[in-house]
Amino acid sequence: MADDKDRRSKVLRTEIQGASSHLLIIGDRAALSWVVTEQRMAFPAGRAQAARALEEGDEIFLYTTRGCFRNPTRDLGRVVGRGTIASPVRALDEPVVFGERTFPEVCRLKVSGLARCREGLVLRDLVPRLSVFPDPATWSVRMRRASLTLPVADAGLMRAELEPLLRPYDEAAEGYRWKEPVSG
């Protein structure tokens, strides 16, 4: 009961403080594992300007694409976590590498809640109700980036729909840890 009251209090504080809200888009399971377990987000080259729009204290929602687990015919794009940006975005001396992609900028995250791995809020079900996607027929085009800033009302809807699915970080994070190679 106290945990529910604390969560509701955090939701209200985020709404009152006026921090921006962002969907962080993750399309690879090794990257997802790193983001969740390290509580950091990495950004690809060429996305510096968009990454710098994230500010310490901003609310974030973690989104896994249909292809994140390498089976887009089975998996759905889901919002799987919530937290805040815990540091400014900064350049690295040595970029983070996932597969053949390099990510030269990072920020720290404070993940407050996670859905169980491969569970969470199916984003496509919310698309008709989200103003960030003005044309629901082409919503996935807006997801071809590392982050997407959410309007206040969209963030509120996403927060409300996601909250019942979240578990405390310490209870759910281990389910996101993989050692490569990982079978589908």
Side-chain angles (χ1 to χ4, degrees):
M1 182 92 114
D3 285 341
D4 286 342
K5 187 176 180 181
D6 288 344
R7 281 187 188 168
R8 280 193 301 271
S9 176
K10 286 179 185 175
V11 166
L12 288 175
R13 275 199 307 272
T14 299
E15 291 171 347
I16 292 168
Q17 290 171 349
S20 293
S21 298
H22 309 273
L23 199 59
L24 299 183
I25 301 162
I26 305 163
D28 176 80
R29 63 187 175 191
L32 174 64
S33 180
W34 181 84
V35 167
V36 169
T37 59
E38 296 292 319
Q39 294 201 64
R40 294 194 294 166
M41 180 66 182
F43 300 94
R47 302 284 188 194
Q49 187 173 1
R52 304 268 174 189
L54 303 170
E55 295 183 5
E56 193 169 347
D58 282 355
E59 177 180 41
I60 54 104
F61 296 94
L62 300 176
Y63 172 77
T64 58
T65 65
R66 286 180 45 215
C68 185
F69 298 99
R70 301 181 185 157
N71 193 341
T73 58
R74 179 192 63 200
D75 294 315
L76 299 172
R78 297 176 184 271
V79 181
V80 299
R82 185 169 170 261
T84 56
I85 301 290
S87 75
V89 175
R90 67 176 181 85
L92 295 170
D93 293 332
E94 289 290 321
V96 177
V97 178
F98 298 108
E100 295 178 9
R101 295 190 67 196
T102 60
F103 298 81
E105 295 193 300
V106 299
C107 66
R108 292 195 104 12
L109 306 176
K110 175 63 179 152
V111 179
S112 56
L114 289 167
R116 288 188 174 101
C117 189
R118 290 191 169 175
E119 295 182 13
L121 181 62
V122 177
L123 186 60
R124 76 167 182 217
D125 295 345
L126 273 187
V127 164
R129 296 166 52 199
L130 297 171
S131 66
V132 75
F133 304 115
D135 179 9
T138 61
W139 73 275
S140 62
V141 171
R142 305 253 359 235
M143 303 301 284
R144 295 182 184 145
R145 61 187 76 205
S147 67
L148 179 65
T149 301
L150 298 171
V152 172
D154 289 0
L157 175 61
M158 196 169 294
R159 192 180 308 116
E161 295 287 329
L162 179 63
E163 197 65 33
L165 305 174
L166 296 180
R167 306 176 77 66
Y169 174 82
D170 292 337
E171 287 180 23
E174 191 60 34
Y176 287 84
R177 189 177 306 275
W178 290 283
K179 294 182 178 130
E180 293 292 338
V182 176
S183 59

